[in-house]
Amino acid sequence: MLARNAEALYWIGRYAERADDTARMLDVTVHQFLEDATIDEDRASRQLVRVLGIPEPPADQPLDLRSVTEVVAYNRDPGSGSIAASVASARENARGAREVTSSEMWECLNATYNGLAERERAARRLGPHEFLNYIKNRAAMFAGLTDSTLSRDEGYQFMLLGRSIERMDMAVRLLLSRAGDRANAPTWVTVLRATGAHDTYLRTHRGVLDATRVVEFILVDRLFPRSVIHALTTAEDCLNAIEGGREGRLGTRTEAQRLLGRARGELEFLAPGELLDDLQRRLLALQELGQAAGEAVTARYFHVTPYVAWTDARARGDIDTILEGEL
């Protein structure tokens, strides 16, 4: 597969997952604002912005429900990390890789992008949930179309790899925002709802809400598809498939495989009950390993420099000499 197509599919997976996860987190925050009149909207909004890695507005510009929605959801500036920007980036990557995506996938992304303006107008009248629910539903549709219309070849593996790395990163970011909370704090329910794990967690643990169990469920539950360990395992499987299932004589073949395996191993072999011990340090280490793995994937599989490096003779002051030589 061409490197440009592999890179496009990888980033389609990441941007689509980022839009979905961001919508989930913002939706939970919006409901907090509406349900609890005592909440400090500026503090909670800035915490959300920091978790998402979005540039934080100056301290003299207080954030509330309306302004944080503008920053996190509607901002169209490229690279802003907002929901609208992520959808636009996923669509742009799909537009440049039409030959390796299905027509249904392209139509879904294109229709989602074209519907943003209308949904934004409706959300300004009826509330942010209208826009956020639209994003979550369209992201689920796109994931379903991807799984049902793409052959399980390298292209699919790259898209699933991008989705898994992004999902792991977003889950770790969310847990980092709650790492200092009390074990019995009600904010742990927020974590479950933001990751789509609330109902599944309650069925698994018979309704018992406990910080240790919540952290274990989000980090190391093998059966929950949005858990960190599930995302890491899926990403490893994708890399193994891309590499043809071959293993190096002295260990893993690639740096990305080594980093993801290390991250999985640090979670997999912890004794029960140890996850909350120094949780913030563990999460920061996981986040760094995830970012390093993404960089390793880029360095190995994608062309990160121009194929042809043109030299500007004027910049070197050689243009006159070159012209004289040609004459």
Side-chain angles (χ1 to χ4, degrees), residues 37-250:
T38 65
I39 195 170
D40 185 342
E41 290 192 8
D42 181 65
R43 180 176 177 275
S45 298
R46 291 185 182 278
Q47 186 177 38
L48 173 65
V49 168
R50 285 193 293 270
V51 166
L52 295 173
I54 296 174
E56 188 175 343
D60 59 352
Q61 298 179 12
L63 291 174
D64 56 11
L65 174 58
R66 183 180 297 275
S67 57
V68 74
T69 305
E70 293 285 345
V71 172
V72 176
Y74 306 146
N75 187 3
R76 298 293 187 97
D77 294 339
S80 63
S82 70
I83 296 171
S86 296
V87 171
S89 296
R91 174 184 177 272
E92 185 63 23
N93 277 281
R95 189 177 65 84
R98 293 287 302 277
E99 67 269 27
V100 291
T101 58
S102 66
S103 58
E104 289 91 343
M105 291 168 60
W106 162 250
E107 289 168 2
C108 179
L109 281 176
N110 192 47
T112 302
Y113 174 80
N114 291 330
L116 288 178
E118 180 183 352
R119 295 294 175 166
E120 181 181 336
R121 288 192 295 270
R124 293 184 186 278
R125 297 193 311 271
L126 304 173
H129 182 70
E130 179 74 17
F131 182 87
L132 301 176
N133 198 46
Y134 171 73
I135 294 297
K136 289 188 289 182
N137 289 339
R138 299 298 295 187
M141 179 185 292
F142 179 73
L145 288 171
T146 299
D147 291 340
S148 61
T149 62
L150 273 191
S151 297
R152 276 20 181 198
D153 55 9
E154 278 192 353
Y156 177 82
Q157 300 299 336
F158 274 111
M159 182 172 287
L160 188 56
L161 174 63
R163 180 201 299 175
S164 301
I165 290 178
E166 188 68 28
R167 181 171 291 179
M168 182 272 289
D169 179 70
M170 295 294 277
V172 170
R173 287 175 183 271
L174 180 61
L175 287 174
L176 267 173
S177 70
R178 304 266 71 97
D181 290 359
R182 302 186 313 275
N184 60 349
T187 50
W188 291 108
V189 177
T190 303
V191 174
L192 293 173
R193 288 177 176 167
T195 55
H198 186 253
D199 295 337
T200 307
Y201 172 88
L202 293 179
R203 285 193 295 269
T204 302
H205 293 288
R206 303 295 189 270
V208 177
L209 184 63
D210 176 75
T212 301
R213 291 183 178 182
V214 171
V215 173
E216 288 179 347
F217 191 80
I218 299 300
L219 285 179
V220 297
D221 191 289
R222 294 183 177 279
L223 301 183
F224 181 57
R226 303 188 73 89
S227 72
V228 171
I229 195 91
H230 193 282
L232 287 170
T233 303
T234 302
E236 282 189 279
D237 291 342
C238 291
L239 285 173
N240 291 336
I242 291 169
E243 290 292 324
R246 300 183 301 274
E247 295 184 357
R249 183 168 179 173
L250 301 179

Side-chain angles (χ1 to χ4, degrees), residues 212 216 270-277:
T212 301
E216 288 179 347
L270 279 174
E274 287 187 2
L275 279 174
L276 282 183
D277 297 339

Side-chain angles (χ1 to χ4, degrees), residues 2-4 7 10-11 293-309:
L2 292 175
R4 64 175 178 83
E7 184 174 15
Y10 172 82
W11 282 107
E295 294 171 357
V297 168
T298 298
R300 178 169 178 82
Y301 300 109
F302 311 143
H303 205 81
V304 295
T305 57
Y307 285 93
V308 178

